[in-house]
Amino acid sequence: MCGNAKKIGFVLMLTLLLIWPLQKGSFAKIPAGIPCSSCHTMHYSQNGGVLEEWGKHGPYKALVINDCIGCHTGNNDGTNFTPYVTSTSPPNYGETGTEGNTLAGGSFYWVSIGEEKKGHNVVPFPPDSRFGNTPPGGPGLTSQLTCAGTTGCHGDRNKEGDFEALLGAHHADDSTIDGQTVGTSYRFLKGILGYEDSDWEYQPDASHHNQYKGTDRSSEAQVNTTTISYLCAECHGFFHSGDGISGQSTGWGSPWLRHPTDYDMSNTASGSEYRAYPGNYAAPRSTGINPYSVIAPLGSEDVSAPKTNILFQGQDAIVTCISCHRAHGSPYNAILRWDYYGWPQTTTKNGCNACHTNKD
């Protein structure tokens, strides 16, 4: 009897170990067991008033207790089931946003306190005083940037309004990211593919990080609507799909006129500095040759799992917009991942050198 119990225990433990990594990669929707009241209120009233933790400008659509920014304001600690994209006090970004308490998209905190060069100016923060509603490299928007909807990044951009554009997505089965619906798209960015890290890259390492979708383009006019850089290009198109990216009279490659995206560094010469990626910027707990860097991440065409090493084959060394920028914000101008303007005077870390290894 005792022997059978040990065998059953061993089988259960082995089963849990096999299942756990799969669950870690499928954790974007509201997890089971979370009370409805964590997000919803039936009448926007409790004991005749509004609870302290609710937003103060309700009632809100879909019977939720706050708007996008309100629900996603807080301090990440690696255990929270809501990803926090801003905070009311300065977050711990560190030098590169990989060792503190900010997530993959960075934080809106800096733009929320008026440092408009350091974040996307989404509602409810003030509009950009320099560019208004016209994003650099693209045409003007019909109104200020929002989290979701017609002038937003998340949700269905054919629908006006944050709630309308995201309706139902937080409860969708996202075990397969196929881009067919908002709920089954990478981070609710409709049509975009990618591998979603379960804790949104809270202190990521070589095995635990997002895997961004890229494509190995052969011309600056080529477009793949499932890549993360294509999403950025929907507003900043001239920096991705314009006719002034490559300086070659024909073809696609160096000398570049603008920094390329959706470009696979596997196309460079075998002895080039790019083949030494990531230089001194390997991710924590990495091993082997050309380990992945969470400071300057590369995209890939295969996003079924996070890459631990870059093989320079199979379209796995693709430069994306996210390789250099944070989507929400950072402590640095142009929402860069590292202190590009301060190096080498104020910092020893410059993510540019992860690819441009000879310049370190």
Side-chain angles (χ1 to χ4, degrees):
M1 186 68 180
C2 182
N4 288 336
K6 287 183 177 178
K7 289 180 181 177
I8 292 172
F10 175 75
V11 171
L12 286 173
M13 183 178 67
L14 182 60
T15 302
L16 287 172
L17 287 173
L18 289 172
I19 290 175
W20 181 76
L22 299 178
Q23 291 181 330
K24 286 282 284 180
S26 55
F27 196 49
K29 74 171 186 177
I30 301 294
I34 300 299
C36 302
S37 60
S38 293
C39 303
H40 296 279
T41 171
M42 296 303 99
H43 305 288
Y44 191 59
S45 175
Q46 187 71 36
N47 300 323
V50 175
L51 295 183
E52 182 63 29
E53 60 266 32
W54 294 353
K56 307 309 176 195
H57 303 289
Y60 301 94
K61 295 177 181 177
L63 307 183
V64 296
I65 60 175
N66 214 326
D67 56 19
C68 299
I69 292 295
C71 287
H72 291 274
T73 295
N75 297 308
N76 300 294
D77 63 8
T79 65
N80 44 297
F81 71 87
T82 298
Y84 296 124
V85 300
T86 191
S87 53
T88 56
S89 57
N92 176 15
Y93 185 87
E95 287 191 284
T96 61
T98 56
E99 298 175 341
N101 65 354
T102 55
L103 305 178
S107 175
F108 290 111
Y109 171 77
W110 295 278
V111 77
S112 78
I113 60 172
E115 298 184 39
E116 60 182 11
K117 296 180 180 179
K118 299 177 180 178
H120 273 111
N121 303 66
V122 299
V123 175
F125 308 127
D128 193 300
S129 64
R130 299 164 298 160
F131 304 117
N133 296 329
T134 301
L141 304 176
T142 55
S143 60
Q144 187 181 346
L145 183 66
T146 55
C147 295
T150 308
T151 58
C153 299
H154 298 276
D156 187 343
R157 299 182 71 190
N158 292 316
K159 296 181 179 178
E160 186 173 357
D162 292 321
F163 290 95
E164 291 82 352
L166 285 167
L167 203 61
H170 287 84
H171 297 285
D173 179 358
D174 63 346
S175 55
T176 298
I177 299 297
D178 58 12
Q180 296 300 306
T181 68
V182 173
T184 60
S185 294
Y186 176 79
R187 303 303 187 201
F188 300 160
L189 303 165
K190 191 178 182 186
I192 305 304
L193 303 181
Y195 177 87
E196 299 178 332
D197 182 49
S198 61
D199 58 9
W200 310 278
E201 286 201 354
Y202 179 84
Q203 300 180 356
D205 61 32
S207 302
H208 301 101
H209 58 80
N210 294 328
Q211 189 63 41
Y212 298 107
K213 178 68 186 292
T215 190
D216 178 14
R217 292 198 290 174
S218 57
S219 77
E220 55 198 6
Q222 186 179 344
V223 171
N224 182 327
T225 61
T226 67
T227 74
I228 194 70
S229 295
Y230 172 80
L231 175 87
C232 305
E234 290 189 88
C235 286
H236 306 281
F238 196 59
F239 298 158
H240 177 269
S241 307
D243 59 4
I245 307 295
S246 173
Q248 292 188 354
S249 56
T250 59
W252 163 248
S254 181
W256 301 103
L257 299 175
R258 290 184 170 85
H259 198 290
T261 53
D262 274 339
Y263 173 78
D264 190 346
M265 294 196 301
S266 303
N267 294 313
T268 61
S270 59
S272 76
E273 63 174 331
Y274 308 104
R275 298 302 187 101
Y277 174 92
N280 296 318
Y281 297 93
R285 288 180 281 282
S286 62
T287 59
I289 300 172
N290 297 121
Y292 187 87
S293 172
V294 294
I295 293 175
L298 295 178
S300 59
E301 293 203 351
D302 173 17
V303 289
S304 59
K307 306 290 184 188
T308 56
N309 295 81
I310 303 302
L311 304 179
F312 288 96
Q313 58 188 14
Q315 294 78 42
D316 67 350
I318 298 172
V319 180
T320 77
C321 301
I322 301 300
S323 298
C324 307
H325 300 278
R326 298 281 183 190
H328 297 149
S330 80
Y332 310 123
N333 289 345
I335 55 176
L336 286 163
R337 286 174 164 262
W338 52 85
D339 192 1
Y340 171 81
Y341 296 100
W343 182 84
Q345 293 84 8
T346 61
T347 177
T348 59
K349 292 185 177 179
N350 178 3
C352 300
N353 298 137
C355 296
H356 302 275
T357 56
N358 283 355
K359 281 80 176 180
D360 197 355

